[in-house]
């Protein structure tokens, strides 16, 4: 007995070579975005500019700049909270930027392990 495919099924199947080329192009674009992201720098200020952080897109913290007036030996907790807040905010900014750039290439399809 012969199996029958729905009418028009064969004509709607994309060419396998075309699919492979598209996948290779997407892979190249993803690698390019990752390379660009690794060298892109993000700057974030928190606490009204009392703390400034600079981080690369591959999440390497490059610098932390504190205004002298936030270094109060009597209020270490506030300084620690400011640093935590700043690091969390810049990490979110890097993640959001990377996800937006990746979505441009993938059309919103998620690939675990990328960005």
């Amino acid at each position: 007995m012969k199996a029958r495919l729905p009418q028009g099924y064969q004509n709607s199947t994309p060419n396998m070579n075309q699919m492979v080329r598209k996948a290779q192009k997407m892979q190249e674009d993803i690698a390019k975005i990752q390379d660009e992201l690794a060298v892109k720098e993000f700057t974030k200020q928190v606490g009204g500019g009392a703390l400034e952080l600079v981080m690369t897109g591959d999440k390497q913290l490059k610098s932390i700049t504190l205004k002298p007036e936030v270094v109060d030996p009597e209020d270490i907790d506030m300084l620690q909270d400011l640093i935590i807040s700043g690091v969390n905010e810049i990490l979110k900014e890097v993640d959001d930027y990377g996800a937006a750039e990746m979505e441009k290439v993938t059309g919103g399809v998620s690939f675990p392990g990328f960005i």
Side-chain angles (χ1 to χ4, degrees):
M1 178 171 175
K2 264 185 156 180
R4 294 208 270 163
L5 297 173
Q7 192 172 23
Y9 179 78
Q10 285 179 316
N11 294 337
S12 68
T13 305
N15 179 331
M16 185 60 85
N17 290 332
Q18 185 180 16
M19 285 176 46
V20 169
R21 279 193 299 273
K22 283 184 180 181
Q24 288 171 336
K25 171 80 168 95
M26 187 182 294
Q27 188 175 18
E28 290 168 7
D29 291 346
I30 289 170
K32 182 180 174 189
I33 288 171
Q34 289 175 322
D35 291 343
E36 290 171 358
L37 191 59
V39 296
K40 182 171 176 56
E41 287 189 359
F42 296 81
T43 302
K44 188 62 149 183
Q45 291 185 349
V46 294
L51 170 70
E52 180 180 277
L53 300 140
V54 177
M55 181 177 280
T56 60
D58 61 353
K59 300 179 183 174
Q60 297 297 307
L61 191 58
K62 297 205 54 169
S63 71
I64 296 177
T65 305
L66 296 166
K67 285 193 174 176
E69 57 268 18
V70 298
V71 183
D72 179 0
E74 302 298 317
D75 196 4
I76 296 296
D77 290 338
M78 185 275 306
L79 181 57
Q80 291 170 336
D81 290 344
L82 189 64
I83 292 170
I84 290 169
S85 170
V87 170
N88 286 336
E89 285 187 33
I90 199 165
L91 284 170
K92 182 175 179 354
E93 184 176 323
V94 169
D95 286 342
D96 290 349
Y97 180 86
E101 290 299 302
M102 195 61 73
E103 188 171 332
K104 291 177 188 176
V105 172
T106 64
V109 176
S110 176
F111 293 95
F114 291 104
I115 305 271

